[in-house]
């Protein structure tokens, strides 16, 4: 076997799961057998049964995937979002294999590993771009934090016994204010994540839009809002309320002092996802949520 160093695949796995370790072993063996190079992070390599041909790197940022044609991620939603951070920063497409529960970001399941390897080897996949969010936090007129999200940027309360008082703004105009547990600003990709749990609509990925979904709002008008992708959403934390917290994709967080302002707009840099199937999002939705469709006969011919 000769390794094709001109083609290298980066492998990211949740090594805390036995299923991920076994899956990683199968993927590595399949890729090496086909002559492709495989690269993994040093702190994950210690937990994986890897042959000497695997390249091990100590970098954890986008430089780790320099020269790689694909990032294959094995794990649940948290691991996939970690992979999305590397994919966005590097531009390398991410192919997710779901080892968790729902896994809307994943393109394959654990039982599909042989097919995943075959598709990677033959380059039988398409790459699509998913909208992201750029997030800016202002306090006392200064920018104090910048961030991004693939799924959502969520402004949330910290104190369990006190609501967060906020005013919502779209395109520079106030919409409404109320006390709540928080506000989720999401992409269509994130509409099936936190925004979905908060009662927001499911938005097909090809729809370009931004979502604003209140969490447990104490108000008559507290409906989910869907805006233009060019809109700028803002959440102002009222000065008299307890401080809040900003979560981006549930992974990165920053404290929001009373009076802080969070602005959310379409991200300048998308996340590139590798797709193996041309199945519609409708079919994916039905499968992921195990929706009852028995009795469906389809349109008459």
């Amino acid at each position: 076997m000769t390794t094709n160093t001109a083609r290298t695949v980066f492998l990211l796995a949740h090594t805390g799961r036995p299923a991920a370790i076994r899956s990683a072993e199968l993927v590595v063996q399949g890729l090496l057998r086909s002559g492709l190079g495989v690269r993994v992070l040093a702190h994950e390599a210690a937990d994986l049964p890897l042959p000497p041909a695997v390249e091990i790197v100590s970098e954890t940022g986008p430089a780790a995937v320099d020269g790689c044609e694909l990032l294959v991620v094995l794990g649940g939603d948290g691991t996939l979002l970690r992979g999305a951070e590397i994919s966005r920063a590097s531009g390398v497409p991410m192919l997710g294999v779901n080892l968790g529960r729902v896994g809307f970001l994943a393109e394959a399941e654990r039982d599909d590993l042989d097919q995943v390897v075959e598709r990677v080897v033959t380059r039988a996949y398409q790459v699509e771009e998913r909208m992201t969010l750029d997030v800016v936090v202002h306090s006392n007129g200064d920018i104090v934090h910048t961030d991004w999200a693939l799924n959502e940027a969520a402004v949330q309360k910290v104190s369990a016994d006190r609501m967060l008082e906020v005013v919502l703004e779209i395109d520079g105009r106030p919409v409404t204010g109320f006390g709540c547990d928080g506000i989720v600003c999401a992409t269509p990709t994130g509409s099936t994540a936190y925004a979905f749990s908060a009662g927001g609509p499911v938005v097909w990925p090809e729809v370009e839009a931004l979502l604003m979904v209140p969490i447990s709002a104490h108000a008559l008008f507290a409906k989910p809002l869907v805006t233009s992708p060019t809109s700028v959403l803002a959440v102002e934390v009222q000065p008299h309320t307890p401080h809040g917290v900003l979560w981006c994709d549930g992974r990165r967080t920053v404290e929001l002092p009373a009076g802080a302002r969070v602005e959310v707009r379409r991200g300048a840099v998308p996340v590139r996802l590798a797709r193996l199937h041309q199945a519609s999002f409708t079919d994916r939705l039905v499968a992921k949520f195990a929706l009852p469709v028995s009795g469906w006969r389809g349109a008459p011919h």
Side-chain angles (χ1 to χ4, degrees):
M1 178 197 71
T2 302
T3 299
N4 181 1
T5 54
R7 296 190 62 197
T8 302
V9 174
F10 193 94
L11 184 68
L12 188 69
H14 186 333
T15 56
R17 295 186 177 189
I21 294 176
R22 178 55 182 160
S23 297
E25 184 179 15
L26 293 174
V27 170
V28 168
Q29 290 173 350
L31 293 174
L32 291 177
R33 248 193 329 264
S34 299
L36 273 68
V38 179
R39 186 184 302 169
V40 300
L41 294 173
H43 71 270
E44 293 185 356
D47 298 322
L48 297 173
L50 299 174
V54 173
E55 180 185 0
I56 298 173
V57 295
S58 57
E59 298 93 340
T60 57
V65 296
D66 280 352
C68 293
E69 70 176 57
L70 199 63
L71 168 63
V72 175
V73 182
L74 308 173
D77 288 338
T79 309
L80 291 168
L81 286 169
R82 182 159 64 97
E85 293 177 351
I86 299 174
S87 175
R88 173 183 174 271
S90 65
V92 175
M94 179 181 79
L95 174 59
V97 179
N98 179 41
L99 303 180
R101 293 186 298 169
V102 180
F104 264 95
L105 286 176
E107 182 62 11
E109 302 295 324
R110 184 184 178 188
D111 294 340
D112 303 325
L113 288 177
D114 288 342
Q115 183 189 42
V116 168
V117 171
E118 179 186 356
R119 294 291 192 91
V120 171
V121 170
T122 60
R123 289 194 175 102
Y125 58 85
Q126 294 78 42
V127 177
E128 67 178 44
E129 293 186 345
R130 290 293 183 89
M131 180 193 301
T132 59
L133 302 175
D134 283 340
V135 186
V136 179
V137 180
H138 300 261
S139 181
N140 296 322
D142 298 322
I143 295 176
V144 295
H145 183 74
T146 59
D147 217 313
W148 75 280
L150 173 60
N151 280 343
E152 75 279 314
V155 175
Q156 295 180 270
K157 70 177 186 179
V158 175
S159 175
D161 60 344
R162 293 283 301 279
M163 288 189 297
L164 193 68
E165 296 286 342
V166 299
V167 174
L168 308 186
E169 173 194 297
I170 296 177
D171 294 330
R173 303 304 303 163
V175 176
T176 186
F178 43 62
C180 60
D181 285 355
I183 301 292
V184 180
C185 298
T187 63
T189 298
S191 72
T192 52
Y194 194 3
F196 177 83
S197 300
V202 174
V203 180
W204 267 234
E206 59 266 27
V207 175
E208 294 194 336
L210 300 176
L211 286 72
M212 182 177 271
V213 183
I215 306 171
S216 302
H218 193 70
L220 291 176
F221 184 84
K223 299 297 183 182
L225 304 175
V226 181
T227 75
S228 161
T230 61
S231 289
V232 178
L233 314 183
V235 180
E236 292 190 348
V237 180
Q238 294 290 69
H240 59 271
T241 194
H243 70 278
V245 63
L246 170 69
W247 283 94
C248 290
D249 284 339
R251 290 182 51 77
R252 302 175 302 280
T253 183
V254 64
E255 184 174 306
L256 299 174
R261 173 186 173 87
V262 179
E263 293 181 351
V264 178
R265 52 176 51 83
R266 180 178 188 158
V269 181
V271 168
R272 305 177 72 216
L273 298 182
R275 290 301 188 197
L276 304 181
H277 311 287
Q278 294 300 313
S280 71
F281 179 74
T282 304
D283 292 338
R284 182 184 293 266
L285 190 70
V286 169
K288 293 293 186 180
F289 285 139
L291 301 178
V293 294
S294 59
W296 176 75
R297 292 180 294 172
H301 297 289

Coordinates of all heavy atoms in Angstrom, one line a residue, residues 85-154:
E85 N -16.2 24.7 13.7 CA -15.3 25.8 14.0 C -14.0 25.7 13.2 O -13.5 26.7 12.6 CB -14.9 25.8 15.5 CG -16.1 26.1 16.4 CD -15.7 26.0 17.9 OE1 -14.6 25.5 18.2 OE2 -16.5 26.4 18.8
I86 N -13.5 24.5 13.1 CA -12.3 24.3 12.3 C -12.6 24.4 10.8 O -11.8 25.1 10.0 CB -11.7 22.9 12.5 CG1 -11.3 22.7 14.0 CG2 -10.5 22.6 11.6 CD1 -10.8 21.3 14.4
S87 N -13.7 23.9 10.3 CA -14.1 24.0 8.9 C -14.3 25.5 8.5 O -13.8 25.9 7.4 CB -15.4 23.2 8.7 OG -15.9 23.4 7.4
R88 N -14.9 26.2 9.3 CA -15.2 27.7 8.9 C -13.9 28.4 8.9 O -13.6 29.2 7.9 CB -16.1 28.3 10.0 CG -16.3 29.8 9.8 CD -17.1 30.4 10.9 NE -17.2 31.9 10.8 CZ -16.4 32.7 11.4 NH1 -15.3 32.2 12.1 NH2 -16.5 34.0 11.2
A89 N -13.0 28.2 9.8 CA -11.7 29.0 9.9 C -10.8 28.6 8.8 O -10.0 29.4 8.3 CB -11.1 28.8 11.2
S90 N -10.9 27.3 8.3 CA -9.9 26.8 7.3 C -10.5 26.8 5.9 O -9.8 26.8 4.9 CB -9.5 25.4 7.7 OG -10.6 24.5 7.6
G91 N -11.8 26.7 5.8 CA -12.5 26.6 4.5 C -12.5 25.1 4.0 O -13.1 24.8 2.9
V92 N -12.0 24.2 4.8 CA -12.1 22.7 4.5 C -13.5 22.2 4.7 O -14.0 22.4 5.8 CB -11.0 22.0 5.3 CG1 -11.2 20.5 5.0 CG2 -9.6 22.4 5.0
P93 N -14.1 21.5 3.8 CA -15.5 21.0 4.0 C -15.5 20.0 5.1 O -14.6 19.2 5.3 CB -15.8 20.4 2.6 CG -14.9 21.0 1.6 CD -13.6 21.3 2.4
M94 N -16.6 19.9 5.8 CA -16.8 19.0 6.9 C -17.8 17.9 6.5 O -18.9 18.3 6.1 CB -17.3 19.7 8.2 CG -17.5 18.8 9.4 SD -18.1 19.7 10.9 CE -19.8 19.9 10.5
L95 N -17.5 16.7 6.8 CA -18.4 15.6 6.6 C -18.7 15.0 7.9 O -17.8 14.4 8.6 CB -17.8 14.5 5.6 CG -18.6 13.2 5.4 CD1 -20.0 13.5 4.9 CD2 -17.8 12.3 4.5
G96 N -19.9 15.1 8.4 CA -20.2 14.6 9.7 C -20.9 13.2 9.7 O -21.7 12.9 8.9
V97 N -20.4 12.4 10.7 CA -21.0 11.1 10.9 C -21.6 11.1 12.3 O -20.9 11.3 13.3 CB -20.0 9.9 10.8 CG1 -20.6 8.6 11.1 CG2 -19.3 9.9 9.4
N98 N -22.9 10.9 12.4 CA -23.6 11.1 13.6 C -23.5 9.8 14.5 O -23.8 8.7 14.2 CB -25.1 11.3 13.3 CG -25.9 11.4 14.6 OD1 -25.5 12.1 15.6 ND2 -27.1 10.8 14.6
L99 N -23.0 10.1 15.7 CA -22.9 9.0 16.7 C -23.7 9.4 18.0 O -23.7 8.8 19.0 CB -21.4 8.8 17.2 CG -20.5 8.4 16.1 CD1 -19.1 8.2 16.6 CD2 -20.9 7.1 15.3
G100 N -24.5 10.5 17.8 CA -25.3 11.0 18.9 C -26.8 10.7 18.7 O -27.2 9.6 18.2
R101 N -27.7 11.6 19.1 CA -29.1 11.4 19.0 C -29.7 11.8 17.6 O -30.0 11.0 16.8 CB -29.8 12.0 20.2 CG -29.5 11.4 21.5 CD -30.3 12.0 22.6 NE -30.1 13.4 22.8 CZ -30.8 14.2 23.5 NH1 -31.9 13.7 24.2 NH2 -30.5 15.5 23.6
V102 N -29.8 13.2 17.5 CA -30.5 13.7 16.2 C -29.5 13.9 15.1 O -29.5 13.4 14.1 CB -31.3 14.9 16.6 CG1 -32.0 15.4 15.3 CG2 -32.4 14.6 17.6
G103 N -28.6 14.9 15.4 CA -27.5 15.1 14.4 C -27.9 15.6 13.1 O -27.5 15.0 12.1
F104 N -28.5 16.8 13.0 CA -28.9 17.4 11.8 C -27.7 17.8 10.9 O -27.8 17.9 9.7 CB -29.9 18.6 12.0 CG -31.3 18.2 11.9 CD1 -32.1 17.9 13.0 CD2 -32.0 18.1 10.7 CE1 -33.4 17.5 12.9 CE2 -33.3 17.8 10.6 CZ -34.0 17.5 11.7
L105 N -26.6 18.1 11.6 CA -25.4 18.5 10.8 C -24.7 17.4 10.2 O -23.9 17.5 9.3 CB -24.5 19.2 11.8 CG -24.8 20.7 12.2 CD1 -23.8 21.2 13.2 CD2 -24.9 21.6 11.0
A106 N -25.0 16.2 10.6 CA -24.3 15.0 10.1 C -24.9 14.6 8.8 O -26.1 14.7 8.5 CB -24.4 13.8 11.1
E107 N -24.1 13.9 8.0 CA -24.5 13.5 6.7 C -24.7 11.9 6.6 O -25.3 11.4 5.8 CB -23.5 13.9 5.6 CG -23.9 13.5 4.2 CD -25.2 14.1 3.7 OE1 -25.7 15.0 4.3 OE2 -25.6 13.7 2.6
A108 N -24.2 11.3 7.6 CA -24.2 9.8 7.7 C -24.4 9.3 9.1 O -24.1 10.1 10.1 CB -23.0 9.2 7.0
E109 N -24.7 8.1 9.2 CA -24.9 7.4 10.5 C -23.8 6.4 10.7 O -23.0 6.1 9.7 CB -26.2 6.7 10.6 CG -27.4 7.7 10.5 CD -27.5 8.8 11.5 OE1 -27.2 8.5 12.7 OE2 -27.9 9.9 11.2
R110 N -23.7 5.9 11.9 CA -22.6 4.9 12.2 C -22.6 3.7 11.2 O -21.6 3.2 10.8 CB -22.7 4.5 13.6 CG -21.6 3.5 14.1 CD -21.8 3.0 15.5 NE -20.7 2.1 15.9 CZ -20.7 1.4 17.0 NH1 -21.8 1.5 17.8 NH2 -19.7 0.6 17.3
D111 N -23.8 3.2 10.9 CA -23.9 2.1 10.0 C -23.4 2.4 8.6 O -23.3 1.4 7.7 CB -25.3 1.6 10.0 CG -25.8 1.0 11.3 OD1 -24.9 0.7 12.1 OD2 -27.0 0.9 11.6
D112 N -23.2 3.6 8.2 CA -22.8 4.0 6.9 C -21.3 4.2 6.7 O -20.9 4.7 5.7 CB -23.5 5.4 6.5 CG -25.0 5.3 6.7 OD1 -25.6 4.3 6.4 OD2 -25.6 6.4 7.0
L113 N -20.5 3.7 7.6 CA -19.1 4.0 7.6 C -18.4 3.5 6.3 O -17.5 4.2 5.7 CB -18.4 3.4 8.8 CG -18.7 4.2 10.1 CD1 -18.0 3.5 11.3 CD2 -18.2 5.6 10.0
D114 N -18.8 2.3 5.8 CA -18.2 1.8 4.6 C -18.5 2.7 3.4 O -17.6 3.0 2.6 CB -18.7 0.4 4.3 CG -18.1 -0.6 5.3 OD1 -17.1 -0.3 5.9 OD2 -18.6 -1.7 5.4
Q115 N -19.7 3.2 3.4 CA -20.1 4.1 2.3 C -19.4 5.4 2.4 O -19.0 6.0 1.4 CB -21.6 4.3 2.3 CG -22.1 5.2 1.2 CD -23.6 5.6 1.3 OE1 -24.0 5.9 2.4 NE2 -24.3 5.5 0.2
V116 N -19.2 5.9 3.6 CA -18.5 7.2 3.8 C -17.1 7.1 3.3 O -16.7 8.0 2.5 CB -18.5 7.5 5.3 CG1 -17.5 8.7 5.6 CG2 -19.9 7.9 5.8
V117 N -16.4 6.0 3.6 CA -15.0 5.8 3.1 C -15.0 5.8 1.6 O -14.2 6.4 0.9 CB -14.4 4.5 3.7 CG1 -13.1 4.2 3.0 CG2 -14.2 4.7 5.2
E118 N -15.9 5.0 1.0 CA -16.0 4.9 -0.4 C -16.2 6.2 -1.1 O -15.6 6.5 -2.1 CB -17.1 3.9 -0.8 CG -17.2 3.7 -2.3 CD -18.4 2.8 -2.7 OE1 -19.1 2.3 -1.8 OE2 -18.7 2.7 -3.9
R119 N -17.2 7.0 -0.6 CA -17.5 8.3 -1.2 C -16.3 9.2 -1.1 O -16.1 10.1 -2.0 CB -18.7 8.9 -0.5 CG -20.0 8.1 -0.8 CD -20.4 8.2 -2.2 NE -21.8 7.7 -2.4 CZ -22.9 8.4 -2.4 NH1 -22.8 9.7 -2.1 NH2 -24.1 7.9 -2.5
V120 N -15.6 9.2 0.1 CA -14.5 10.1 0.2 C -13.4 9.7 -0.7 O -12.8 10.6 -1.4 CB -14.0 10.0 1.7 CG1 -12.6 10.8 1.8 CG2 -15.0 10.6 2.7
V121 N -13.1 8.4 -0.9 CA -12.0 7.9 -1.7 C -12.3 8.3 -3.2 O -11.4 8.8 -3.9 CB -11.9 6.4 -1.6 CG1 -10.9 5.9 -2.7 CG2 -11.3 6.1 -0.2
T122 N -13.6 8.2 -3.6 CA -14.0 8.4 -5.0 C -14.4 9.9 -5.2 O -14.8 10.3 -6.3 CB -15.1 7.5 -5.5 OG1 -16.2 7.7 -4.6 CG2 -14.6 6.1 -5.4
R123 N -14.3 10.7 -4.2 CA -14.8 12.1 -4.2 C -16.2 12.2 -4.7 O -16.6 13.2 -5.4 CB -13.9 12.9 -5.2 CG -12.5 13.2 -4.6 CD -11.8 14.3 -5.4 NE -10.5 14.7 -4.9 CZ -9.4 14.3 -5.4 NH1 -9.4 13.5 -6.5 NH2 -8.2 14.7 -4.9
A124 N -17.0 11.2 -4.3 CA -18.5 11.2 -4.7 C -19.3 12.0 -3.6 O -20.1 11.4 -2.9 CB -18.9 9.8 -4.9
Y125 N -19.0 13.3 -3.5 CA -19.8 14.1 -2.6 C -19.9 15.5 -3.1 O -19.1 15.9 -4.0 CB -19.1 14.1 -1.2 CG -17.7 14.6 -1.1 CD1 -17.4 15.9 -1.0 CD2 -16.6 13.7 -1.2 CE1 -16.1 16.4 -1.0 CE2 -15.3 14.1 -1.1 CZ -15.1 15.4 -1.0 OH -13.8 15.9 -1.0
Q126 N -20.9 16.2 -2.7 CA -21.0 17.6 -3.1 C -20.8 18.5 -1.9 O -21.0 18.0 -0.7 CB -22.4 17.9 -3.7 CG -22.7 17.2 -5.0 CD -23.1 15.7 -4.8 OE1 -23.8 15.4 -3.9 NE2 -22.5 14.9 -5.7
V127 N -20.4 19.7 -2.1 CA -20.2 20.7 -1.0 C -21.2 21.8 -1.1 O -21.4 22.4 -2.1 CB -18.7 21.2 -1.1 CG1 -18.5 22.3 0.0 CG2 -17.7 20.1 -0.9
E128 N -21.9 22.0 0.0 CA -22.8 23.2 0.1 C -22.4 24.1 1.2 O -21.7 23.7 2.2 CB -24.2 22.7 0.3 CG -24.5 22.0 1.7 CD -25.9 21.6 1.9 OE1 -26.5 21.1 0.9 OE2 -26.5 21.9 3.0
E129 N -22.7 25.4 1.1 CA -22.4 26.4 2.1 C -23.6 26.7 2.9 O -24.7 26.9 2.4 CB -21.9 27.6 1.4 CG -20.6 27.4 0.6 CD -20.0 28.7 0.1 OE1 -20.7 29.8 0.1 OE2 -18.8 28.8 -0.2
R130 N -23.3 26.7 4.2 CA -24.4 27.1 5.2 C -24.1 28.4 5.8 O -23.0 28.8 6.2 CB -24.5 26.0 6.3 CG -25.0 24.7 5.9 CD -26.5 24.8 5.5 NE -27.0 23.5 5.1 CZ -27.6 22.6 6.0 NH1 -27.6 22.9 7.2 NH2 -28.0 21.5 5.5
M131 N -25.2 29.2 5.9 CA -25.1 30.6 6.4 C -24.7 30.5 7.9 O -25.0 29.6 8.6 CB -26.5 31.2 6.3 CG -26.6 32.6 6.9 SD -28.3 33.2 7.1 CE -28.9 33.1 5.4
T132 N -23.9 31.5 8.3 CA -23.5 31.6 9.7 C -24.0 33.0 10.2 O -24.6 33.8 9.5 CB -22.0 31.5 9.8 OG1 -21.4 32.6 9.0 CG2 -21.5 30.2 9.4
L133 N -23.7 33.3 11.5 CA -24.0 34.5 12.1 C -22.7 35.2 12.6 O -21.8 34.6 13.1 CB -24.9 34.4 13.3 CG -26.2 33.7 13.1 CD1 -26.9 33.5 14.5 CD2 -27.1 34.5 12.2
D134 N -22.6 36.5 12.4 CA -21.6 37.3 13.0 C -22.3 38.1 14.2 O -23.3 38.6 14.0 CB -21.0 38.3 12.0 CG -20.0 37.7 11.1 OD1 -19.5 36.6 11.4 OD2 -19.7 38.3 10.0
V135 N -21.6 38.0 15.3 CA -22.2 38.6 16.6 C -21.2 39.6 17.2 O -20.0 39.4 17.3 CB -22.4 37.4 17.6 CG1 -23.2 38.0 18.8 CG2 -23.2 36.3 16.9
V136 N -21.8 40.8 17.5 CA -21.0 41.8 18.1 C -21.7 42.3 19.4 O -23.0 42.5 19.4 CB -20.9 43.0 17.2 CG1 -20.1 44.2 17.9 CG2 -20.2 42.7 15.9
V137 N -21.0 42.4 20.5 CA -21.5 42.8 21.8 C -21.0 44.2 22.1 O -19.8 44.4 22.1 CB -21.1 41.8 22.9 CG1 -21.7 42.3 24.3 CG2 -21.6 40.4 22.6
H138 N -21.9 45.1 22.4 CA -21.6 46.5 22.7 C -21.9 46.7 24.2 O -22.9 46.2 24.7 CB -22.4 47.5 21.9 CG -22.2 47.4 20.4 ND1 -21.3 48.3 19.8 CD2 -22.7 46.6 19.5 CE1 -21.4 47.9 18.5 NE2 -22.2 46.9 18.3
S139 N -21.0 47.5 24.9 CA -21.3 47.9 26.3 C -20.7 49.3 26.5 O -19.6 49.5 26.1 CB -20.7 46.9 27.3 OG -20.9 47.3 28.6
N140 N -21.6 50.2 26.9 CA -21.2 51.6 27.1 C -20.6 52.2 25.9 O -19.6 53.0 25.9 CB -20.2 51.7 28.3 CG -20.8 51.3 29.6 OD1 -21.9 51.6 29.9 ND2 -20.0 50.6 30.4
G141 N -21.2 51.8 24.7 CA -20.7 52.4 23.5 C -19.5 51.8 22.8 O -19.1 52.2 21.7
D142 N -18.9 50.8 23.5 CA -17.7 50.1 23.0 C -18.0 48.7 22.6 O -18.9 48.1 23.2 CB -16.6 50.1 24.1 CG -16.1 51.5 24.5 OD1 -16.1 52.4 23.6 OD2 -15.9 51.7 25.7
I143 N -17.3 48.2 21.6 CA -17.4 46.8 21.2 C -16.5 46.0 22.2 O -15.3 46.3 22.3 CB -16.9 46.6 19.8 CG1 -17.8 47.3 18.8 CG2 -16.8 45.1 19.5 CD1 -17.4 47.2 17.3
V144 N -17.1 45.1 22.9 CA -16.4 44.4 24.0 C -16.2 42.9 23.6 O -15.4 42.2 24.3 CB -17.1 44.5 25.3 CG1 -17.1 46.0 25.8 CG2 -18.6 44.0 25.3
H145 N -16.9 42.5 22.6 CA -16.8 41.1 22.2 C -17.3 40.8 20.8 O -18.3 41.4 20.4 CB -17.5 40.1 23.2 CG -17.4 38.7 22.9 ND1 -16.2 38.0 23.2 CD2 -18.2 37.8 22.3 CE1 -16.4 36.7 22.8 NE2 -17.6 36.5 22.3
T146 N -16.6 40.0 20.0 CA -17.1 39.6 18.7 C -17.1 38.1 18.6 O -16.2 37.4 19.3 CB -16.3 40.2 17.5 OG1 -14.9 39.7 17.7 CG2 -16.4 41.7 17.5
D147 N -18.0 37.5 17.9 CA -18.1 36.0 17.8 C -18.9 35.6 16.6 O -19.2 36.5 15.8 CB -18.8 35.5 19.1 CG -18.2 34.1 19.6 OD1 -18.0 33.3 18.7 OD2 -18.0 34.0 20.8
W148 N -19.1 34.4 16.4 CA -19.9 33.9 15.3 C -20.6 32.6 15.7 O -20.4 32.1 16.8 CB -18.9 33.5 14.1 CG -18.2 32.2 14.4 CD1 -17.1 32.1 15.2 CD2 -18.5 30.9 13.9 NE1 -16.7 30.7 15.2 CE2 -17.6 30.0 14.4 CE3 -19.5 30.5 13.0 CZ2 -17.6 28.7 14.1 CZ3 -19.6 29.1 12.7 CH2 -18.6 28.2 13.3
A149 N -21.6 32.2 14.9 CA -22.3 30.9 15.2 C -22.8 30.3 13.9 O -23.1 31.0 12.9 CB -23.5 31.2 16.1
L150 N -22.9 29.0 13.9 CA -23.5 28.3 12.8 C -25.0 28.1 13.1 O -25.8 28.2 12.2 CB -22.8 26.9 12.6 CG -23.4 26.0 11.6 CD1 -23.5 26.6 10.2 CD2 -22.7 24.7 11.5
N151 N -25.3 27.7 14.3 CA -26.7 27.4 14.7 C -27.4 28.6 15.2 O -28.4 29.1 14.7 CB -26.8 26.3 15.7 CG -26.7 24.9 15.1 OD1 -26.9 24.8 13.9 ND2 -26.4 23.9 15.9
E152 N -26.9 29.2 16.4 CA -27.5 30.3 17.0 C -26.6 31.0 18.0 O -25.6 30.5 18.5 CB -28.7 29.7 17.8 CG -28.4 29.0 19.1 CD -28.0 27.6 19.0 OE1 -28.6 26.9 18.2 OE2 -27.0 27.2 19.6
A153 N -27.0 32.3 18.2 CA -26.5 33.1 19.3 C -27.6 33.4 20.2 O -28.7 33.9 19.8 CB -26.0 34.4 18.7
A154 N -27.5 32.9 21.5 CA -28.6 33.0 22.4 C -28.2 33.9 23.6 O -27.2 33.7 24.2 CB -28.9 31.6 23.0

